[in-house]
Amino acid sequence: MVQSSVLGFPRMGVLRDLKKANEAYWADKISQEALLAEGKRLRLAHWKIQKDAGVDIIPSNDFAHYDHVLDHIQLFNAVPERYTSQKLSPLDEYFAMGRGHQKGGVDVPALEMVKWFDSNYHYVKPTLQDNQTFSLAKDPKPVREFLEAKEAGFQTRPVLVGPVSFLALGKADRGSSVDPITLLDKLVPVYVELLKQLKAAGAESVQIDEPVLVFDLRPEVKAAFKPAYEAIAAAGDAVPKVIVATYFGDIVHNFDVLPAFSGAAGLHVDLVRNPEQLEPVLKQLGPNQILSAGVVDGRNIWKNDFAKSLEILQTAVKALGPERVIVATSSSLIHTPHTLASEKKLPSDVYEWFSFAVEKVKEVATLAKAVTEPEAVKAELEANAAAIKARTDSKRTNDPAVKERQAQVTPEQHNRKAPFNTRYAEQKKHLSLPLFPTTTIGSFPQTSEIRVQRNKFTKGEISAEEYERFIEKEIELAVKIQDELDLDVYVHGEPERNDMVQYFGERLNGYVFTTHAWVQSYGSRCVRPPIIVGDISRPAPMTVKESKYAASISKKPMKGMLTGPVTCLRWSFPRVDVHQSVQCQQLALALRDEVVDLEKNGIYVIQVDEPALREGLPLRKGQEREAYLKWAVDSFKLATAGVENSTQIHSHFCYSEFQDFFHAIAALDADVLSIENSKSDAKLLKVFIDEEYPRHIGPGVYDIHSPRVPTLEEFKQRIEEMLAYLKPEQLWINPDCGLKTRKWDEVKGALSHMVEAAKYFREKYANKA
Ligand SMILES: CN1c2c(nc(N)[nH]c2=O)NC[C@@H]1CNc1ccc(C(=O)N[C@@H](CCC(=O)N[C@@H](CCC(=O)N[C@@H](CCC(=O)O)C(=O)O)C(=O)O)C(=O)O)cc1
Ligand SMILES: N[C@@H](CCS)C(=O)O
Ligand SMILES: [Zn+2]
């Protein structure tokens, strides 16, 4: 029989229950026991959903209170000494690594958090020492949760981050220079011990995730698979059967690694992203190995096209026989919302087009049956075919006016009127900014008061006028605080925005949006990606009213704030019937009109955020990357190039890994770039000198993900480090990203130190001049 399996289930619960419980615990509103009990309730509920749907192989240890990679840092006792020395409870130590800890006399920053492959999920980077050791944590979480499931009547397959991926996704701690992969010998015995304990607990098989196999790998990393998996195979029946899982790309270029898995029971591959890898993968499998065929998309919300999936599955079954094929989600479902059933406001025609996690779980089970017994699921197959046909035939997707405008785009529309030096001279006159200008990235605290008022407005409990007045008052507050802090370029604070992408999605034609479709972004933070269902256009200005009001009450330049086309695309659920470059250009044209309207209304500094530009980069180097960068950069330029020379275009990226596509960042031709830098080595900025980057840069001087307020000295030290790589006249002083997740007292504390540090350097360099 063909079996069905799920690689991981969303953790948050129907109503973001985990977010609420975590945040209540952090605010000292519930006890540790209550939080752990809520975690258990969610795990049991999620296992039940999968069992009830008829899924054969249900994951455990996919749940995490903050992040699953962080779980493994604690599992392998790879916790840096600065946390262990605080003698916190294991749960508080865990959260301290995830989000920093500044209470009860303990003051320790968070570990670095970065994007999980090309998704909008963030993981905590294993941070390793020169003298790193590993050992298995007491009462290991995967064993504990396996037993918890077993006691409740669920036989599960534990999910682990593989030893090679764990190390390859890690980094040396500041002050250490170890190449994490050289620590493999020390990690593998701990791994084997963990697998033995799982087997003893009753686990028949484990899913070991080695997603780094989709990357171009360094020879050292490639070579690590053999010893790691041979050691696991050598443990024989003392360990569970191993399914090695890869996702988000193809692994054909790493086939030379596959002999390392000859002792494994099977291999999982992503056949949504790369269906063409099926044939070559089938040829690589050993005589008894299983193929776990990822055909149900873990990254998008479109209903599975059963006919297409069945074609893939039949090919696999023909080659291997039904016993050696598992129907699976392409990746963990943490990238999809919990259930479509919560959506009461979607137009009825489009409702039928979607599947969220709960529905995808059913799709996996149905497909597994359909491969060998189509008659048993005849009704489901027919309903699916009808839904797919309705989607294909829909008129919603096609807007001739949008297509007409796209056909008329010219190369000249992508370029500013003059090169940077000419523009900058005009901007300098126009904006009269000091050396080391200070600014913020856009958002200020989204207080519960703001969320409550927005919720009341959405429900019709307050009028549009009342809500507008409330937003104006929030903008007034933001301006007043910036006056007090003495910042140089102001922002209006984005109080009217629920989210930087959802807000635009709600104002553009071609989108639909949801009420409950939350997806975890990091820790307790979730996003509700809008869904692109058709051609995109802008029916009316989207941000002009708020920016214009903010500028009218501000004595300093007010930055207009937009989300760029690539980010709007990447952080939405995109269409799958039209190439992403086409959708991105439609977004760019809509945003171009907004940029020009802002300028017409007296906004002369405009930031167009593109934090998702890096994340969209194809995971492997080569032609695909270049093609992506071409349309992504062109879209940004098309969106921003309609303004006069004297208008200053900013862009923002909250990541520090730009070395490998620096030419694209430079090609954006933004006058000022703000980037994330506070948690990485300032020497990453060297690329700006090496490449003789002429424009202005604001490397973030503090980590906004943590509630911790850095000291003045920390700011000065960070700026000093940056000045080793950037010219003083190029350097802007700003945080890593927006401040929406912070509280006002944290923001005021941190920004007052930031401004004081900027003034210190301003004075120092003025004296030098
Ligand atoms: C910059 N980042 C972003 C990413 N992706 C995005 N789409 N947006 C981003 O900003 N990716 C990379 C990073 C990740 N960072 C963050 C930072 C912060 C959040 C965050 O704070 N998310 C919020 C939810 C935001 C939101 O949409 N809020 C809505 C709904 C608010 C709500 O919860 N309403 C309640 C009722 C109201 C009440 O009574 O309180 C409800 O619906 O139940 C809004 O403000 O209107 C979060 O809370 O997680 C995400 C990613
Ligand atoms: N302007 C946005 C950018 C986040 S990446 C903000 O400040 O929240
Ligand atoms: Zn950001």
Side-chain angles (χ1 to χ4, degrees):
M1 277 305 299
V2 172
Q3 288 196 306
S4 54
S5 110
V6 170
L7 264 58
F9 195 82
R11 301 151 183 165
M12 285 293 151
V14 191
L15 294 169
R16 289 179 298 158
D17 315 60
L18 180 61
K19 167 199 175 62
K20 290 170 191 164
N22 274 342
E23 291 180 359
Y25 175 69
W26 297 334
D28 291 325
K29 289 187 184 143
I30 62 168
S31 66
Q32 194 164 129
E33 291 68 37
L35 175 60
L36 296 177
E38 180 63 350
K40 178 171 179 176
R41 183 188 71 77
L42 288 166
R43 288 190 293 275
L44 292 172
H46 299 164
W47 288 322
K48 182 168 181 331
I49 288 169
Q50 297 173 77
K51 191 172 178 185
D52 289 352
V55 172
D56 301 305
I57 303 169
I58 298 171
S60 59
N61 198 44
D62 53 335
F63 179 87
H65 268 280
Y66 202 90
D67 161 50
H68 57 283
V69 182
L70 179 56
D71 285 350
H72 287 68
I73 295 176
Q74 221 173 24
L75 175 66
F76 300 136
N77 279 327
V79 179
E81 200 263 340
R82 56 187 175 277
Y83 302 98
T84 53
S85 62
Q86 308 296 343
K87 304 288 172 225
L88 298 166
S89 70
L91 185 67
D92 286 343
E93 177 189 271
Y94 172 80
F95 286 138
M97 287 188 282
R99 58 193 299 271
H101 191 107
Q102 197 171 38
K103 101 176 161 191
V106 176
D107 185 358
V108 60
L111 290 177
E112 188 182 6
M113 196 172 59
V114 292
K115 284 288 164 88
W116 181 241
F117 294 76
D118 56 359
S119 79
N120 195 6
Y121 176 79
H122 303 65
Y123 76 97
V124 177
K125 237 180 181 338
T127 301
L128 304 156
Q129 319 297 323
D130 286 344
N131 58 354
Q132 185 69 51
T133 57
F134 300 104
S135 58
L136 195 58
K138 260 195 253 145
D139 188 19
K141 176 177 176 286
V143 180
R144 193 169 66 234
E145 291 184 3
F146 174 81
L147 288 171
E148 180 183 88
K150 195 172 154 194
E151 268 160 38
F154 304 106
Q155 177 67 28
T156 59
R157 183 174 76 183
V159 184
L160 302 171
V161 176
V164 179
S165 291
F166 179 80
L167 293 172
L169 294 171
K171 65 167 189 182
D173 205 354
R174 268 190 198 173
S176 284
S177 57
V178 65
D179 175 355
I181 205 66
T182 61
L183 298 168
L184 187 83
D185 290 355
K186 295 185 182 171
L187 181 59
V188 167
V190 181
Y191 228 89
V192 173
E193 172 55 24
L194 170 64
L195 292 173
K196 284 182 179 168
Q197 289 196 22
L198 282 168
K199 176 77 183 213
E204 289 149 18
S205 62
V206 287
Q207 170 189 324
I208 302 192
D209 287 0
E210 289 290 9
V212 298
L213 275 166
V214 305
F215 286 138
D216 293 311
L217 294 174
R218 291 187 291 137
E220 296 84 338
V221 175
K222 267 195 177 193
F225 285 99
K226 194 168 185 294
Y229 285 84
E230 278 180 359
I232 293 170
D237 286 345
V239 300
K241 289 186 191 132
V242 169
I243 300 286
V244 177
T246 66
Y247 34 82
F248 307 151
D250 80 278
I251 57 163
V252 176
H253 56 290
N254 282 323
F255 270 177
D256 52 340
V257 168
L258 294 191
F261 306 131
S262 59
L267 187 63
H268 172 88
V269 291
D270 185 337
L271 297 174
V272 172
R273 198 60 90 75
N274 294 93
E276 77 290 348
Q277 69 177 324
L278 174 64
E279 296 282 357
V281 166
L282 285 173
K283 292 200 183 104
Q284 293 293 322
L285 290 175
N288 298 313
Q289 279 182 320
I290 290 168
L291 174 75
S292 167
V295 290
V296 172
D297 197 351
R299 292 285 297 273
N300 212 331
I301 45 63
W302 299 96
K303 189 169 264 182
N304 191 268
D305 183 341
F306 282 173
K308 258 196 199 162
S309 298
L310 283 169
E311 213 174 290
I312 294 175
L313 294 168
Q314 298 292 6
T315 308
V317 167
K318 210 165 152 199
L320 306 175
E323 306 295 331
R324 287 176 57 203
V325 176
I326 299 176
V327 180
T329 55
S330 64
S331 65
S332 163
L333 295 175
I334 59 166
H335 312 285
T336 62
H338 188 94
T339 178
L340 186 59
S342 301
E343 299 306 323
K344 306 294 181 207
K345 292 194 176 156
L346 279 174
S348 57
D349 58 334
V350 300
Y351 184 91
E352 291 302 324
W353 300 355
F354 306 141
S355 265
F356 297 174
V358 169
E359 294 74 32
K360 282 172 188 284
V361 160
K362 289 184 196 141
E363 288 181 344
V364 164
T366 305
L367 280 167
K369 282 214 188 84
V371 190
T372 51
E373 302 169 69
E375 280 305 310
V377 286
K378 192 163 176 267
E380 286 92 332
L381 293 182
E382 282 172 5
N384 180 269
I388 300 297
K389 181 165 180 343
R391 191 168 87 197
T392 317
D393 295 347
S394 170
K395 296 272 176 295
R396 262 184 195 274
T397 51
N398 192 12
D399 183 339
V402 174
K403 298 228 162 53
E404 174 64 22
R405 188 166 179 204
Q406 284 188 285
Q408 285 170 11
V409 169
T410 62
E412 296 72 49
Q413 283 178 305
H414 294 84
N415 296 324
R416 296 285 298 267
K417 295 188 169 67
F420 172 70
N421 284 342
T422 314
R423 299 196 306 258
Y424 182 63
E426 291 188 35
Q427 291 163 18
K428 204 169 164 191
K429 235 191 290 159
H430 196 188
L431 301 169
S432 48
L433 295 172
L435 193 60
F436 304 115
T438 53
T439 190
T440 58
I441 304 305
S443 58
F444 278 135
Q446 282 274 328
T447 58
S448 54
E449 172 67 355
I450 295 182
R451 297 225 158 118
V452 166
Q453 292 300 321
R454 182 153 50 242
N455 201 25
K456 281 189 180 169
F457 171 52
T458 312
K459 287 186 181 153
E461 290 169 12
I462 57 171
S463 67
E465 293 69 39
E466 280 172 292
Y467 181 62
E468 216 169 281
R469 184 64 206 121
F470 169 77
I471 293 296
E472 280 179 1
K473 281 176 86 175
E474 288 295 317
I475 294 174
E476 285 157 22
L477 176 75
V479 169
K480 180 167 166 277
I481 291 173
Q482 291 172 95
D483 282 340
E484 284 162 10
L485 288 165
D486 200 18
L487 283 146
D488 300 309
V489 172
Y490 287 10
V491 295
H492 77 286
E494 306 179 25
E496 77 288 8
R497 301 189 190 175
N498 40 19
D499 172 74
M500 60 184 286
V501 169
Q502 193 190 337
Y503 181 80
F504 290 93
E506 287 169 0
R507 279 155 186 77
L508 289 165
N509 294 332
Y511 269 98
V512 295
F513 40 92
T514 61
T515 50
H516 291 79
W518 295 100
V519 177
Q520 184 180 16
S521 180
Y522 70 89
S524 69
R525 296 289 171 178
C526 300
V527 293
R528 204 165 34 174
I531 305 172
I532 305 177
V533 295
D535 290 332
I536 300 159
S537 60
R538 184 190 78 142
M542 303 180 281
T543 65
V544 173
K545 189 172 59 190
E546 290 78 12
S547 285
K548 196 175 164 187
Y549 179 70
S552 76
I553 56 168
S554 163
K555 57 185 184 204
K556 302 252 183 96
M558 176 60 63
K559 247 195 306 193
M561 195 59 60
L562 301 174
T563 305
V566 183
T567 302
C568 279
L569 174 77
R570 297 280 321 168
W571 292 354
S572 303
F573 288 117
R575 288 166 77 170
V576 282
D577 59 331
V578 166
H579 196 271
Q580 294 203 354
S581 59
V582 176
Q583 301 175 61
C584 202
Q585 193 187 51
Q586 293 174 356
L587 283 159
L589 288 167
L591 288 161
R592 181 181 177 93
D593 295 345
E594 187 73 14
V595 168
V596 169
D597 276 348
L598 282 170
E599 185 186 52
K600 271 192 210 143
N601 282 278
I603 309 295
Y604 302 117
V605 182
I606 302 171
Q607 180 174 307
V608 179
D609 294 324
E610 279 295 21
L613 186 70
R614 171 98 187 48
E615 169 194 312
L617 199 63
L619 296 169
R620 296 188 52 213
K621 296 195 175 100
Q623 272 179 357
E624 239 188 276
R625 244 184 206 199
E626 290 313 311
Y628 162 77
L629 286 173
K630 170 88 180 90
W631 62 255
V633 168
D634 275 356
S635 296
F636 179 90
K637 291 176 75 180
L638 183 60
T640 52
V643 290
E644 297 302 322
N645 291 333
S646 54
T647 295
Q648 189 169 67
I649 297 289
H650 289 222
S651 189
H652 160 72
F653 316 107
C654 29
Y655 46 80
S656 53
E657 294 154 324
F658 40 78
Q659 295 68 18
D660 54 354
F661 75 125
F662 189 82
H663 65 288
I665 301 262
L668 297 176
D669 198 23
D671 300 306
V672 183
L673 290 184
S674 63
I675 58 180
E676 178 176 306
N677 192 250
S678 74
K679 300 205 58 77
S680 36
D681 202 321
K683 74 169 176 267
L684 294 179
L685 300 172
K686 188 167 172 299
V687 64
F688 286 101
I689 312 188
D690 292 347
E691 301 287 334
E692 298 178 10
Y693 186 80
R695 291 171 284 270
H696 290 191
I697 311 144
V701 288
Y702 85 95
D703 174 23
I704 54 78
H705 293 107
S706 168
R708 187 175 170 273
V709 174
T711 61
L712 174 61
E713 276 318 305
E714 284 173 70
F715 278 107
K716 285 189 184 169
Q717 193 189 333
R718 200 64 195 151
I719 297 172
E720 194 77 68
E721 285 166 10
M722 289 168 182
L723 283 165
Y725 301 101
L726 298 173
K727 293 186 207 134
E729 59 277 16
Q730 262 186 315
L731 186 58
W732 283 62
I733 309 295
N734 48 256
D736 268 347
C737 183
L739 296 160
K740 61 189 158 207
T741 59
R742 301 277 52 89
K743 298 199 167 68
W744 269 116
D745 56 346
E746 296 157 2
V747 166
K748 288 184 196 168
L751 291 183
S752 67
H753 288 166
M754 185 186 92
V755 172
E756 201 176 333
K759 287 182 177 168
Y760 167 84
F761 283 97
R762 204 170 286 159
E763 208 167 292
K764 185 169 159 185
Y765 278 81
N767 292 344
K768 269 190 189 168

